[in-house]
Amino acid sequence: MKLTTPRLTHHIRTSATEDGEPVLFVHGNVSSGAFWRDSIAALPEGFRGLAPDLRGFGESDPAPVDATRGLRDFSDDLGELADALGLERVHLVGWSMGGGIVLQLLRDRPALVKSVTLVNPVSPYGFSGTEGADGRLTHPDGTGAGAGAANPDFVERLKAGDTSDESPTSPRSVFRGAYVTRPVEDEDFYVASMLTTVVGEANYPGDPVTSAEWPGVAPGKTGILNALAPTYFRLDNLHEIERKPPILWIRGADDVIVSDTSLFDLAHLGALGVVPGSPGTPAQPMVTQMRAVLERYGDYREIVFDGCGHTPHLDRPDDFAAALIEHLRSA
């Protein structure tokens, strides 16, 4: 279905039924609401799934992203969408970047939220450019994070709609090597979803900015990877919410994207010698940072799936659905 609000025309994948408690599924970067297709279908009676395409993905408007607002362009879109649909309380499910978006929505509008499920969520201190469990900046300007950290060949192949597996930086190869840990049925469906990503300085990856400090990149002011920079997106005050809905944190033990040793973090790649010239900048401990923030928050539970990567809902769909449904019913 499509719905136009003052902010955006949204494309939304929904359950067959319009009855039941609303469950709002929020996808991650370089994907779309299509990644939640099977999770929506697995919902039992009494729940209604909605999976919108975020701005610049899928069939929603390719509206620009103001990175200086962190992830609030996305979370405000979702809040307005919920209002337009007349949803008073919703269960939020956020994967990867979507995890950061739902936490931002929780921080800004806690009364709207009945429960939260985080699925391999981005750190509450953004992506790259920080150290330690407290998310302190490696450099004041966020050097190490931002659009300049994107692999340029991957960006070009994404823009060109490359469906091949001829290169390790093709979207299909990235899906196989970083999103999942095992072959997935209907792989073409998910690669097609990745290729709906709007490429450019206003969307993915954003405007690149150079830095005199290693590794030579810093956050710009537009686009998605800059919106994820720790200078713009930080959620270390989540525990200050008065009414705290329960949070379930599900993650794959073998995730190479969101990890304390992420293969997408330039600092860790520097330590491995893949990116030369590292002065010894430590990797961002993404999982450790999330755990520290949730421990201050209080009402949370962590589930780790062994042999599972960045997408538990694809790698372990039955286990994922069981854990999610249990959480929804107990909220």
Side-chain angles (χ1 to χ4, degrees):
M1 63 176 282
K2 285 206 170 186
L3 178 66
T4 298
T5 67
R7 295 178 60 84
L8 201 70
T9 294
H10 304 260
H11 174 261
I12 312 161
R13 184 177 293 269
T14 66
S15 301
T17 176
E18 296 187 1
D19 298 323
E21 297 179 27
V23 183
L24 191 62
F25 291 88
V26 185
H27 66 82
N29 199 5
V30 191
S31 63
S32 74
F35 268 68
W36 293 117
R37 177 191 62 182
D38 296 343
S39 298
I40 289 176
L43 289 176
E45 186 177 350
F47 295 97
R48 176 193 179 195
L50 303 102
D53 296 336
L54 298 171
R55 60 170 61 200
F57 298 97
E59 298 178 44
S60 288
D61 281 350
V65 176
D66 179 355
T68 66
R69 303 188 71 234
L71 295 176
R72 277 195 170 97
D73 272 358
F74 297 112
S75 61
D76 286 353
D77 288 344
L78 295 179
E80 187 179 71
L81 177 62
D83 293 340
L85 291 170
L87 308 179
E88 296 181 357
R89 300 279 308 281
V90 299
H91 300 277
L92 296 177
V93 183
W95 163 54
S96 193
M97 180 180 75
I101 294 168
V102 302
L103 288 181
Q104 186 67 66
L105 184 56
L106 169 64
R107 185 66 189 87
D108 293 342
R109 294 188 57 181
L112 177 66
V113 184
K114 187 168 185 179
S115 78
V116 173
T117 302
L118 303 174
V119 187
N120 291 59
V122 67
S123 164
Y125 303 110
F127 200 93
S128 299
T130 67
E131 305 174 13
D134 60 350
R136 63 188 179 277
L137 292 170
T138 301
H139 298 282
D141 64 352
T143 288
N151 184 296
D153 190 60
F154 173 74
V155 174
E156 286 304 311
R157 289 176 180 275
L158 189 66
K159 184 177 182 179
D162 180 10
T163 60
S164 76
D165 59 1
E166 66 182 21
S167 166
T169 56
S170 73
R172 186 180 300 276
S173 296
V174 170
F175 177 80
R176 292 175 180 173
Y179 282 39
V180 296
T181 60
R182 67 195 71 194
V184 172
E185 290 185 15
D186 207 3
E187 179 183 88
D188 289 348
F189 174 80
Y190 297 107
V191 173
S193 168
M194 296 172 70
L195 293 175
T196 66
T197 302
V198 176
V199 176
E201 291 194 355
N203 297 97
Y204 180 86
D207 63 317
V209 173
T210 59
S211 171
E213 302 289 346
W214 186 90
V217 298
K221 294 185 176 181
T222 61
I224 290 161
L225 293 192
N226 295 319
L228 287 165
T231 45
Y232 304 134
F233 175 66
R234 295 182 68 84
L235 280 174
D236 50 5
N237 61 352
L238 201 64
H239 60 284
E240 296 177 3
I241 296 171
E242 291 188 6
R243 190 194 65 80
K244 297 181 175 67
I247 295 177
L248 173 63
W249 175 21
I250 300 174
R251 63 183 182 88
D254 299 331
D255 188 1
V256 299
I257 298 178
V258 176
S259 166
D260 285 358
T261 53
S262 170
L263 296 181
F264 289 72
D265 177 19
L266 293 182
H268 182 57
L269 293 177
L272 294 176
V274 177
V275 178
S278 170
T281 303
Q284 180 187 11
M286 303 175 187
V287 173
T288 297
Q289 289 173 348
M290 177 59 73
R291 188 174 294 114
V293 165
L294 292 181
E295 285 181 353
R296 288 199 299 274
Y297 179 86
D299 189 1
Y300 90 98
R301 183 165 65 105
E302 178 181 356
I303 297 177
V304 182
F305 292 150
D306 292 331
C308 178
H310 190 58
T311 53
H313 47 303
L314 304 186
D315 264 349
R316 299 274 292 275
D318 293 340
D319 293 331
F320 173 79
L324 172 62
I325 292 166
E326 178 186 6
H327 182 60
L328 296 177
R329 285 175 168 163
S330 64

